[in-house]
Amino acid sequence: MNSSIEIILDKLSNRTIDGDQVSEILNNPKDFPSELIDKIALETAIKYWNKKITYQVGDCIMNHLYDFWVWNEHYFKNFIFPKTAQECYDAFDSGEFIHSGDSSEIDPVEKYTKPQIEKLLRNRNQIT
């Protein structure tokens, strides 16, 4: 793995950073760094799948990346959130709440996040 991605992941796992700090972590890009965002998302999924990070850390990283896109009007109007990143964000997001029709005993991370991460990784030949 690229050591710069590792450093970025470590910094993005901090719950208290804001959009300006995320921009600094990503080297204040002029245009939305789609390729980098996808790489970070894929590495987040891999680390989560291999139990190198917790669900909470993965969710935090993906929320920071998504918020970085949404809250920057230029990025939001002119760029789409990259496909791998969107799938990873959706997987972690689906673990944040009890879904309609599920009982409170259902763990949404187990039921939704893990299978979605597995599918994302299989589709990108990261696991077999």
Side-chain angles (χ1 to χ4, degrees):
M1 176 184 46
N2 185 328
S3 64
S4 64
I5 298 292
E6 185 73 31
I7 292 166
I8 290 169
L9 287 172
D10 184 55
K11 291 178 180 181
L12 290 175
S13 67
N14 183 339
R15 289 203 175 274
T16 62
I17 62 175
D18 62 24
D20 289 338
Q21 291 167 310
V22 173
S23 185
E24 287 176 27
I25 291 166
L26 301 177
N27 293 318
N28 296 307
K30 179 187 260 186
D31 290 326
F32 189 71
S34 297
E35 187 177 320
L36 177 60
I37 297 293
D38 258 356
K39 285 180 184 177
I40 294 167
L42 184 60
E43 193 59 37
T44 299
I46 290 167
K47 285 181 151 302
Y48 173 71
W49 183 255
N50 291 322
K51 298 180 170 87
K52 305 265 185 194
I53 61 171
T54 64
Y55 165 81
Q56 290 78 13
V57 169
D59 188 49
C60 180
I61 291 167
M62 293 313 301
N63 283 335
H64 284 316
L65 292 177
Y66 194 79
D67 289 348
F68 172 69
W69 173 65
V70 168
W71 294 109
N72 182 306
E73 189 174 337
H74 171 69
Y75 294 159
F76 189 71
K77 284 183 176 179
N78 296 295
F79 300 91
I80 61 167
F81 201 61
K83 183 176 178 169
T84 298
Q86 184 68 58
E87 289 178 33
C88 191
Y89 171 80
D90 289 343
F92 281 101
D93 187 57
S94 66
E96 292 179 355
F97 59 94
I98 302 294
H99 294 246
S100 177
D102 286 349
S103 72
S104 61
E105 288 85 42
I106 298 294
D107 179 353
V109 172
E110 289 295 322
K111 185 173 181 181
Y112 299 101
T113 302
K114 284 186 179 179
Q116 289 176 35
I117 293 293
E118 180 179 11
K119 180 180 177 187
L120 181 154
L121 293 174
R122 283 192 193 286
N123 288 342
R124 286 154 184 83
N125 299 314
Q126 297 298 313
I127 57 174
T128 55

